[in-house]
Amino acid sequence: MDSVQYQQVAIGKRISSLRMAKGMTQEQLASVLNVSTAAVSKWERELATPSIELLWALADFFDCSIDELVGRKSAQIEAMGVYDSEKLRLAEIGEDLLKCSEISRKEGLIAMEAAVPGLKGKSAFLAFAVPYIMYCFMKQEGVEQAFSFLENYVGTLPKEEQREGHMIAAALKMIFEGENPVILQELIASYIGLEYWKKKGHMAQILRNTRQEIIDSHKDKELYSEATGLIEATADLGDFEIQTMLRNMDNDTLTAALAGASGKVAVRFLSNLADRILCCIHEDIEHWSGTEEEILAAQRKVLEIGAFLLP
């Protein structure tokens, strides 16, 4: 039997970064955890590792997971401002529904059913709903009855998936009834929210870009002006420090700050965002139309957030 390979856990820099981001001294953190200052000092110098009980306490205090704390996996900022993961998931499935509508109108319902497995969002409920409605129609059940049954299935989904289910059921009913795609788009936007309503019509393009294409598009970005280089030093921070700052930053601040920053700074922050959020922040930067004063205000806020992390 193969032996288990253990990996050295080095969390000192992470504890130090999180502590400094809160503006705390080692003595203050020690007091919160009811340990000695010497213990905190040893952790941060990688001379000792906290016990599992203290790892739980540290993770709770810094509002992160133990996996993030010990560096077992890279953190991804799954929710920031209005761009939370649920809404981004709905946006992706919404684009799939618009694609279904397009195929249905051009090639018919059977072609739409065949296309569902290849859709980008990979919604399990959409993959069930389309063939189910087709089955109901083959049994000569009416539209209202078939979709009433489908809504019953939505009610059996886990609570966090029910909004997705309701959107799919409502959109499919419009598609099967031959509703105008513009009305369908309005329906989908109403399930996702105001920020996405503003982007309706080009969410598909936003979500179509690959991660690397988006990041590469910012590499050669120049400063907005000579005055907007306030956060250039953040380009030298590590991923964990950048992620720590992102946790404490709203999307409007990030967008304005990066709109005025150089490409190397933009790449550092964008590289630490989850894929779907990356798409939307990228699009916001591309269409940002604020002033130099707004950039400077946002960059000063970034500096305040990262004050204890910057060299």
Side-chain angles (χ1 to χ4, degrees), residues 240-292:
F240 192 78
E241 286 72 28
I242 295 290
Q243 292 159 9
T244 300
M245 293 174 70
L246 285 169
R247 280 194 193 89
N248 295 283
M249 199 182 306
D250 62 86
N251 63 283
D252 288 339
T253 296
L254 178 62
T255 298
L258 295 187
S262 69
K264 65 178 182 179
V265 171
V267 165
R268 290 296 298 121
F269 280 92
L270 295 176
S271 297
N272 279 282
L273 294 174
D275 289 349
R276 291 172 181 157
I277 298 172
L278 168 65
C279 291
C280 287
I281 295 295
H282 157 70
E283 200 262 352
D284 283 350
I285 294 172
E286 290 289 292
H287 293 86
W288 193 82
S289 58
T291 65
E292 182 178 281

Side-chain angles (χ1 to χ4, degrees), residues 5 33 41 64 96 99 126 130 144 147 149 207 212 241-242 248 251 284 299:
Q5 298 297 312
L33 299 172
S41 175
C64 64
D96 284 349
K99 183 67 175 176
L126 181 58
V130 172
E144 294 299 328
F147 280 96
F149 291 158
L207 295 170
Q212 199 55 53
E241 286 72 28
I242 295 290
N248 295 283
N251 63 283
D284 283 350
Q299 290 191 347

Side-chain angles (χ1 to χ4, degrees), residues 178-250:
E179 185 62 80
N180 188 312
V182 175
I183 304 301
L184 177 63
Q185 192 175 73
E186 291 291 345
L187 170 78
I188 291 169
S190 73
Y191 274 94
I192 304 171
L194 292 174
E195 287 298 319
Y196 299 89
W197 183 87
K198 296 173 186 175
K199 302 181 192 309
K200 65 189 172 110
H202 57 285
M203 273 305 296
Q205 184 58 51
I206 297 170
L207 295 170
R208 192 176 297 130
N209 294 322
T210 69
R211 180 179 186 84
Q212 199 55 53
E213 285 172 345
I214 290 173
I215 293 172
D216 287 347
S217 72
H218 291 269
K219 282 184 176 178
D220 297 325
K221 184 177 176 301
E222 297 182 354
L223 291 174
Y224 181 88
S225 72
E226 292 183 2
T228 62
L230 301 183
I231 61 172
E232 293 304 293
T234 60
D236 298 324
L237 293 175
D239 287 344
F240 192 78
E241 286 72 28
I242 295 290
Q243 292 159 9
T244 300
M245 293 174 70
L246 285 169
R247 280 194 193 89
N248 295 283
M249 199 182 306
D250 62 86

Side-chain angles (χ1 to χ4, degrees), residues 30-48:
S31 177
V32 168
L33 299 172
N34 197 27
V35 298
S36 68
T37 302
V40 174
S41 175
K42 286 182 178 180
W43 299 339
E44 294 188 2
R45 289 182 292 139
E46 309 289 2
L47 299 177

Side-chain angles (χ1 to χ4, degrees), residues 20 26 31 51 84 105 132 150 170 173 207 219 290-291:
M20 289 191 292
Q26 289 183 341
S31 177
S51 66
D84 64 67
R105 294 172 72 85
Y132 175 75
L150 186 61
K173 188 166 188 270
L207 295 170
K219 282 184 176 178
T291 65

